[in-house]
Structures are given as structure tokens and as C-alpha cells.
């Protein structure tokens, strides 16, 4: 027994070797500089020469292959139609893959919510790596990391966009970034402020039907494409949370989007128009219904180069939401899903929460084939380890892998990431166990059974179930969402309530409408029920709520214990940094449970 322990410790010491700070992400291959690589000189050749452990590798361009980005690996030969395909193949070979592969989504785009002053909206890993200035070597590492997981586009600035983004001096920076990203197959896009013609151009209006406005955008697009010839296009948040938009001039979303689409079309660019709107045209309506109410009438009216980009859930990146019914209701307009990699509502960069299971859950309801692309709100900042929490890197990784292949299993992605990030540690199973349980644990200690948006105001971190501020829109107040009183709890979205269930296709419409068939993990999203409502296992609703809050906390206690066991097998720095955050997560989980049960408990039995 003693000898076994000694062997394990020696092995661990050999594996750990040197301090790790997480800066190398999952790209921790040893530089071997050993392979003789034949074929075109390109990124694939560079990467294989440096990191491939075999004696030789062949890169073959095959014009007969159909997909521009796909590849076939057999032995140490990679075949692809383009150098980009060879590059994806090279990273796959380094991961140990073989066989044929091509990306499912054509558009696999990161959305950075970075501001020109270096701050990042909902960023929890330091400052922007792009603005106001950047380190070219760091951007190259960013490009490599993204290319290695198949990401092929990036929006460089916040959707709450400054008109200054389009000023010449910033476009010149965009060009420099684009030049670094291009060899890695990544196109740049920008978020634009709809009122840029006023804020930047000095016009008196931004009305999309105004000839002067149309001319301004056409000229701006010409200028952009002169500077960045392969520029991807614009992402637009319009008439949402105070942002300007066509609605300011009584114009529809399609009129606004089409004006931009016409300006950019001659250059081959696209417009990603977000459907995240509330409190504008349909003020007063249940917030989760408003996107459908607002966009349905526009379906079929958008230009071909407009894509509607919608969040996975109808509210706002909550730990659990039903899928957003806009994906059912929009039939004629191409759609993209927007996922949030940065954990705004899931403990930010302090909680270990692996998001792939949540995204896979979404794909169970929204067929990936209904989408032309996928966007992920990035969790990247200038922190040494890029994402704040070492395990948050897994969410960036998983986003890329799912964008390439949405049917990949969460476990498979996690196992891959663990191996690449920590090496083979003998604790793979333990790490996998923590990751795979982490999202459900988070749901349980924050908002089980379909509860939602009971966060502290503004920063969305801790619990504030009693949150109500008279001067705030009701849709920002926790009490609006849980509706707890002495009679019960939950938001009635059935036909007898806000009727949000009617926006869903069958069978979900009927299933969600009836508490007997509504999945229990969404019960209080769709129903207002008495505290003594009987759950399927015979417990009352209140008992079940207590059970779930407790089980969420117990899970985190378990993660902490498991992490202690991992100590000998993980390098000192990463182990310690994760441990610190996990202790914090445990404190937070207990706080969530205690605050919520105390508050809700105050109604029970009254
Ligand atoms: C970029 C939520 C976030 C905002 C974000 C907005 C959006 O409301 O809290 O920070 O703004 O979503 O997605 O536009």
C-alpha cells in the first residue's frame, strides 16, 4: 500500500514538472520540432512541425473535396480542399483524431462585449485584449486558440456599441487585428450603434429611410472594406435596453436591418440583427413573449444577408430557461443562436460551472439544422489565464467544439479538454465528475424548479429574491419573476396567465401549459402553484424546493472534497487558484440557499 502511494506521488511529481499559470490554455503540447512536414507552407505545416510527435506528416490539398473547411485524416496524412481545412485537420491530428470531419455551422463566432475604454461588459477576467490597444503576440495566441477549436469569426466590440467604433483610427486597429487573425481563418465583425450617422457622422437623424442616412452607411461600408477587404459584417442591438434603432423613427426592425444589409451587400457582408428586445414596442407584456411579438410580423421581410440572432432562452442567459420560442416562430429568416460563455448569471468567473450540458439541452429543443450559425458571448480578458477561472476555459473550448459539431457529447468534450489542459492525471474521472454535475448544482443552489432572475440588481451575482425598486422597470425586479406570496410561487405563463406557452410548437405548448406534464425543472417558470402542491415523488413543492437548494450546496461540498483529493496530481498554482475559487463558490452556494429559503419560507404556512 505504502509503495503504491509512493509510486503515485512520484508519478504526479514527474507529470507536474513546472509551474502552470493557465496561459497556454488547452494548447499545452510540448514543442518537439521533430516532424518532417510535406505539402503547402501554411499554419498547419507550422503547427505540425513544432508540435507533432510523429516523424513525418503529409498535407495534401484536394480540390475535389466538397467542404471548404473540412478535412480527412488518415495516419499522418491530412487532406483538405483548402489550407484552412488543413489547419483544422492539423489541430485535430494533434488532439489524436482521425477520419473525416467538417463543421456543422458555417458561422462560428465569438461576440466580445468589449468597450473601447478597455472595460468589458459582463467580463470577469480582466480588461479587453483588443481595446484601446493590443499586443500582437497575444492576439496571435488568441487566434491559435480559436482556430484549434474551429472558431472562424469574432465580433470585436460590445453590442452596446459606441459610434466611435467606426471612426477611422479604430478601423485601422481593426485592420491590424484582422491581419493577425486572417491566417487562422478568423474573420472580424463589428457591433454597430444604429445612430452612428448622428453620433459619428454629425447627421441630424439615423432614420433608415432617410437618403442621407443610407448614403452615410454605404460610404462607411466602402471605407471599411477598403481597409479590411474580408470584413465579415455587423452585429446590431437595436431598440433594446436604451440602444437606438429604427423604432425611434417608427420604422420596423426589417426596415432598419435592410438598410444596413443594402449598404454592406455589395461587399459580401452580413448583418446579424439581435432579437433581444423588451420594454419597447410591447411594453407591459410578459418579457419572455416580447421577442416573438416584435419579430414575427417582420419574418419574410428581411434581406437575404440578414440573420436574426437570438439568445438560447427567452429571458436572459439564466442557469436554466426553456428554449426561446422565437426559434419556432421565425420560419423565413435565417437564424443564429447566441449562447453566453461568460457566466453572467452562473457565478461569473468565481464558480466552476461547465456549460456544455446547458447548451446541449438547448439543442434537444432547437434542431441545429434550423440555424445557420452560432455565436458565443466570450469570457476572455487579459487575465493571465484568459478566463478568470481555470475551468472557465472549458466553456470557451466547449463552445468551439459544439459549434463545429453540436452533437458532440458534453462528457466527450470535457474529457478532451481535461486531457489537453491538465494532462493525463489519473484524476480525469474526478474532474469529469465535477464538471458534469456543476451546471445542475448551480441551478439547484441558485434557482431550482424553474425559478429565474432572482439575482442582485445590476451585477447579477448574489441572491436578492426580495428585490424590488419602484423606479426600475418591473422586468428587472426579482419579485416580478417569482411572484411568491402566501398562496404560492411561480410565474403563471399558461393560457390562464400570460399565455407564453402558446408561443411554443407542439408538443411543448401543451406540455408546458399543464403542471402535470410540465418538466419539474421548469415548473415555476410556467406555473404559479401552491406551496403544498404535490410533486411527482410525493413531496410538497416547498419540501422539494428545500431539498434542491440543499442538494446544490451538498454538490459543491462534494466538489471541494474531490478537489482536495486531486491536489497531488495537479500543478500547484492551478490547484491553489481553483481551490480558492471553489471555497468562495461554496460560501456563495450556502448564501444562495440560506437567503432564498429564508425569504420564501417567510410566506409558507401564512
Ligand atoms: C450587452 C443583459 C446583460 C447586459 C447585456 C444585454 C444584452 O441584459 O445584463 O449587460 O448587454 O443582456 O444581451 O444585450
Amino acid at each position: 500500500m505504502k509503495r503504491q502511494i509512493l509510486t503515485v506521488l512520484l508519478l504526479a511529481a514527474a507529470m507536474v514538472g513546472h509551474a502552470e499559470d493557465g496561459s497556454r490554455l488547452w494548447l499545452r503540447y510540448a514543442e518537439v520540432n521533430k516532424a518532417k512536414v510535406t505539402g503547402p507552407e501554411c499554419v498547419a505545416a507550422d503547427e505540425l512541425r513544432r508540435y507533432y510527435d510523429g516523424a513525418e506528416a503529409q498535407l495534401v490539398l484536394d480540390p475535389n473535396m466538397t467542404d471548404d473547411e473540412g478535412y480527412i485524416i488518415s495516419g499522418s496524412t491530412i487532406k483538405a480542399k483548402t489550407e484552412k481545412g488543413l489547419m483544422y485537420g492539423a489541430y485535430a491530428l494533434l488532439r489524436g483524431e482521425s477520419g473525416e470531419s467538417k463543421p456543422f455551422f458555417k458561422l462560428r463566432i465569438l461576440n466580445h462585449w468589449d468597450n473601447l475604454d478597455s472595460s468589458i461588459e459582463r467580463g470577469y477576467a480582466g480588461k479587453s485584449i483588443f481595446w484601446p490597444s493590443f499586443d500582437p503576440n497575444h492576439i496571435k495566441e488568441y487566434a491559435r486558440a480559436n482556430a484549434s477549436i474551429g472558431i472562424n469569426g469574432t465580433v470585436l466590440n460590445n453590442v452596446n456599441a459606441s459610434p466611435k467604433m467606426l471612426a477611422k483610427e479604430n478601423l485601422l486597429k481593426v485592420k491590424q487585428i484582422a491581419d493577425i487573425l486572417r491566417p487562422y481563418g478568423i474573420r472580424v465583425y463589428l457591433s454597430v450603434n444604429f445612430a452612428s450617422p448622428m453620433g459619428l457622422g454629425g447627421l441630424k437623424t439615423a432614420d433608415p429611410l432617410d437618403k442621407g442616412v443610407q448614403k452615410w452607411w454605404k460610404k462607411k461600408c466602402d471605407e471599411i472594406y477598403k481597409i479590411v477587404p474580408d470584413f465579415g459584417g455587423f452585429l446590431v442591438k437595436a431598440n433594446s435596453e436604451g440602444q437606438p434603432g429604427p423604432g425611434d423613427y417608427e420604422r420596423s426592425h426589417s426596415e432598419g436591418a435592410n438598410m444596413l444589409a443594402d449598404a454592406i451587400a455589395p461587399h459580401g457582408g452580413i448583418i446579424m440583427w439581435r432579437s433581444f428586445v423588451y420594454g419597447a414596442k410591447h411594453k407591459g407584456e410578459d418579457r419572455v413573449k416580447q421577442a416573438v411579438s416584435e419579430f414575427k410580423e417582420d419574418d419574410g421581410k428581411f434581406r437575404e444577408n440578414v440573420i436574426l440572432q437570438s439568445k438560447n432562452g427567452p429571458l436572459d442567459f439564466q442557469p436554466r430557461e426553456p428554449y426561446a420560442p422565437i426559434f419556432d416562430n421565425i420560419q423565413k429568416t435565417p437564424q443564429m443562436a447566441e449562447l453566453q460563455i461568460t457566466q453572467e448569471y452562473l457565478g461569473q468567473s468565481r464558480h466552476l460551472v461547465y456549460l456544455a450540458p446547458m447548451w446541449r439541452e438547448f439543442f434537444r429543443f432547437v434542431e441545429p439544422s434550423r440555424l445557420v450559425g452560432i455565436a458565443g458571448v466570450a469570457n476572455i480578458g487579459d487575465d493571465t489565464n484568459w478566463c478568470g477561472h481555470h475551468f472557465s476555459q472549458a466553456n470557451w473550448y466547449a463552445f468551439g467544439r459544439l459549434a463545429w459539431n453540436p452533437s458532440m457529447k458534453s462528457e466527450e468534450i470535457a474529457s478532451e479538454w481535461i486531457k489537453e489542459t491538465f494532462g493525463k492525471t489519473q484524476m480525469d474521472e474526478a474532474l469529469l465528475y465535477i464538471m458534469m454535475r456543476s451546471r445542475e448544482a448551480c441551478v439547484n443552489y441558485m434557482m431550482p424548479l424553474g425559478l429565474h432572475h432572482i439575482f442582485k440588481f445590476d451585477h447579477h451575482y448574489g441572491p436578492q429574491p426580495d428585490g424590488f425598486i419602484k423606479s426600475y422597470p418591473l422586468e428587472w425586479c426579482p419579485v416580478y419573476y417569482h411572484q411568491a406570496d402566501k398562496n404560492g410561487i411561480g410565474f403563471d405563463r399558461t393560457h390562464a396567465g400570460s399565455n407564453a406557452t402558446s408561443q411554443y410548437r407542439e408538443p411543448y405548448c401543451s406540455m408546458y401549459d399543464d403542471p402535470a406534464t410540465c418538466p419539474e425543472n421548469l415548473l415555476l417558470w410556467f406555473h404559479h402553484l401552491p406551496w403544498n402542491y404535490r410533486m411527482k415523488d410525493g413531496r410538497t413543492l416547498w419540501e422539494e424546493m428545500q431539498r434542491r437548494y440543499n442538494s446544490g450546496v451538498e454538490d459543491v461540498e462534494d466538489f471541494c472534497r474531490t478537489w482536495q483529493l486531486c491536489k497531488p496530481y495537479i500543478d500547484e498554482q492551478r490547484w491553489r487558484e481553483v481551490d480558492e475559487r471553489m471555497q468562495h463558490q461554496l460560501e456563495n452556494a450556502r448564501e444562495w440557499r440560506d437567503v432564498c429559503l429564508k425569504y420564501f419560507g417567510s410566506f409558507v404556512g401564512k
Side-chain angles (χ1 to χ4, degrees):
M1 187 63 184
K2 264 195 189 145
R3 190 183 295 153
Q4 262 175 348
I5 293 175
L6 189 66
T7 316
V8 165
L9 288 177
L10 285 175
L11 254 173
M15 279 177 310
V16 170
H18 51 85
E20 295 267 9
D21 56 14
S23 59
R24 290 188 297 157
L25 295 161
W26 48 89
L27 296 167
R28 293 169 59 263
Y29 332 105
E31 247 189 75
V32 280
N33 294 311
K34 150 173 159 193
K36 184 170 169 285
V37 181
T38 55
E41 276 314 313
C42 55
V43 170
D46 286 350
E47 293 285 317
L48 293 178
R49 219 164 265 142
R50 279 173 78 180
Y51 303 111
Y52 186 49
D53 204 16
E56 52 177 41
Q58 297 78 37
L59 299 175
V60 181
L61 282 173
D62 178 354
N64 297 321
M65 283 177 66
T66 47
D67 194 278
D68 278 350
E69 299 179 297
Y71 56 82
I72 302 173
I73 303 176
S74 49
S76 57
T77 301
I78 304 174
K79 245 179 18 173
K81 187 174 180 181
T82 63
E83 288 184 357
K84 199 170 168 191
L86 290 177
M87 175 186 75
Y88 291 138
Y91 287 117
L93 181 64
L94 290 171
R95 269 195 300 269
E97 280 175 32
S98 64
E100 185 165 0
S101 186
K102 62 178 187 193
F104 187 91
F105 296 114
K106 285 279 163 239
L107 296 168
R108 308 178 296 279
I109 302 183
L110 283 184
N111 288 185
H112 290 269
W113 286 355
D114 292 20
N115 299 310
L116 293 172
D117 67 0
S118 87
S119 60
I120 304 178
E121 183 152 351
R122 311 307 175 189
Y124 313 106
K127 299 213 174 299
S128 170
I129 59 168
F130 302 115
W131 311 109
S133 60
F134 58 87
D135 166 3
N137 291 323
H138 201 59
I139 302 300
K140 192 170 164 192
E141 285 313 302
Y142 165 86
R144 270 187 83 219
N146 281 319
S148 74
I149 49 175
I151 286 168
N152 68 357
T154 181
V155 181
L156 297 174
N157 64 314
N158 191 356
V159 286
N160 291 327
S162 161
K164 289 202 192 94
M165 185 66 248
L166 297 180
K168 178 103 185 209
E169 81 230 45
N170 288 322
L171 294 178
L172 292 175
K173 288 186 198 167
V174 172
K175 173 195 160 41
Q176 290 169 7
I177 297 171
D179 288 347
I180 303 172
L181 301 185
R182 190 171 298 108
Y184 293 88
I186 301 167
R187 277 180 128 181
V188 298
Y189 300 76
L190 291 176
S191 297
V192 292
N193 181 302
F194 197 78
S196 298
M198 298 162 80
L200 183 67
L203 302 194
K204 294 241 152 24
T205 176
D207 181 348
L209 299 196
D210 180 273
K211 291 276 177 281
V213 170
Q214 294 170 356
K215 205 165 136 207
W216 188 90
W217 280 108
K218 275 197 185 345
K219 251 180 91 185
K220 193 41 92 179
C221 288
D222 293 346
E223 182 190 352
I224 294 173
Y225 278 86
K226 237 185 229 143
I227 299 174
V228 186
D230 58 351
F231 180 73
F234 297 143
L235 172 62
V236 193
K237 171 173 176 177
N239 293 122
S240 163
E241 298 187 328
Q243 291 301 311
D248 303 346
Y249 310 94
E250 307 293 318
R251 312 294 183 201
S252 64
H253 283 284
S254 55
E255 284 170 317
N258 291 347
M259 180 272 295
L260 292 176
D262 289 343
I264 211 166
H267 307 281
I270 58 167
I271 304 298
M272 294 167 286
W273 192 267
R274 296 175 89 225
S275 76
F276 178 70
V277 294
Y278 62 92
K281 248 172 127 178
H282 294 266
K283 213 176 170 127
E285 187 180 43
D286 178 0
R287 177 171 157 185
V288 307
K289 291 181 72 181
Q290 293 185 32
V292 171
S293 303
E294 199 153 330
F295 280 89
K296 212 173 164 173
E297 61 198 37
D298 261 334
D299 193 17
K301 297 188 189 153
F302 290 100
R303 296 281 189 271
E304 269 180 7
N305 58 336
V306 177
I307 302 172
L308 198 60
Q309 179 167 311
S310 303
K311 297 186 182 186
N312 56 299
L315 185 55
D316 192 10
F317 297 137
Q318 301 298 291
R320 170 164 280 121
E321 295 193 32
Y323 73 95
I326 194 155
F327 293 106
D328 289 344
N329 285 272
I330 298 296
Q331 299 291 342
K332 299 180 192 133
T333 310
Q335 299 197 72
M336 278 175 81
E338 181 179 304
L339 309 176
Q340 197 183 44
I341 310 171
T342 191
Q343 296 162 231
E344 175 178 355
Y345 295 98
L346 291 102
Q348 302 175 1
S349 61
R350 308 215 66 97
H351 293 200
L352 190 166
V353 185
Y354 174 52
L355 301 177
M358 178 167 85
W359 299 332
R360 289 269 301 155
E361 188 171 292
F362 167 71
F363 288 133
R364 288 220 313 270
F365 298 92
V366 176
E367 238 313 299
S369 61
R370 303 236 327 114
L371 307 172
V372 297
I374 181 158
V377 181
N379 62 351
I380 298 160
D382 71 353
D383 273 7
T384 305
N385 72 10
W386 299 82
C387 302
H389 197 306
H390 290 285
F391 277 80
S392 298
Q393 296 177 356
N395 293 329
W396 176 8
Y397 185 89
F399 170 77
R401 299 295 282 138
L402 283 175
W404 186 275
N405 177 7
S407 52
M408 240 181 126
K409 299 234 164 26
S410 311
E411 290 91 330
E412 201 187 330
I413 299 173
S415 296
E416 228 179 65
W417 176 82
I418 290 168
K419 195 168 121 222
E420 292 170 47
T421 305
F422 290 105
K424 195 103 192 87
T425 69
Q426 303 180 45
M427 293 309 278
D428 298 8
E429 289 300 316
L431 301 187
L432 187 63
Y433 161 86
I434 295 178
M435 287 173 76
M436 289 306 297
R437 275 179 60 182
S438 59
R439 186 274 184 134
E440 211 55 48
C442 175
V443 170
N444 281 337
Y445 64 70
M446 285 185 180
M447 293 174 296
L449 297 167
L451 285 173
H452 46 287
H453 219 307
I454 54 177
F455 292 91
K456 281 194 180 146
F457 284 102
D458 305 331
H459 56 65
H460 298 158
Y461 189 70
Q464 193 166 359
D466 63 349
F468 176 72
I469 298 180
K470 215 168 160 209
S471 58
Y472 270 29
L474 201 52
E475 307 101 314
W476 289 359
C477 298
V479 296
Y480 166 74
Y481 291 104
H482 61 64
Q483 315 240 332
D485 59 19
K486 66 179 176 16
N487 299 317
I489 181 168
F491 199 123
D492 184 356
R493 297 198 161 103
T494 67
H495 63 279
S498 78
N499 206 17
T501 49
S502 68
Q503 291 186 337
Y504 285 89
R505 69 178 191 270
E506 287 296 356
Y508 302 111
C509 169
S510 313
M511 186 193 283
Y512 293 151
D513 205 59
D514 180 350
T517 52
C518 182
E520 288 192 339
N521 61 18
L522 289 173
L523 200 59
L524 302 177
W525 184 284
F526 288 111
H527 299 275
H528 186 81
L529 297 168
W531 295 103
N532 61 1
Y533 175 82
R534 283 283 157 209
M535 304 296 289
K536 294 201 176 80
D537 65 5
R539 290 191 181 90
T540 66
L541 173 58
W542 172 235
E543 284 164 354
E544 180 63 11
M545 197 184 283
Q546 295 173 81
R547 189 188 72 77
R548 295 219 184 194
Y549 270 110
N550 280 312
S551 114
V553 172
E554 281 157 19
D555 276 343
V556 183
E557 286 166 350
D558 205 15
F559 300 163
C560 290
R561 276 192 299 272
T562 310
W563 189 246
Q564 294 297 323
L565 295 176
C566 293
K567 189 169 181 182
Y569 308 102
I570 308 274
D571 44 278
E572 193 277 330
Q573 183 175 347
R574 287 189 297 180
W575 185 85
R576 180 175 32 82
E577 287 171 355
V578 169
D579 189 55
E580 278 162 17
R581 288 187 189 233
M582 219 177 245
Q583 297 303 332
H584 205 92
Q585 181 173 5
L586 180 56
E587 255 173 56
N588 291 165
R590 287 177 177 149
E591 182 194 351
W592 268 97
R593 175 195 60 191
D594 296 345
V595 169
C596 292
L597 290 182
K598 183 164 176 224
Y599 173 77
F600 293 130
S602 71
F603 297 108
V604 184
K606 274 202 179 152

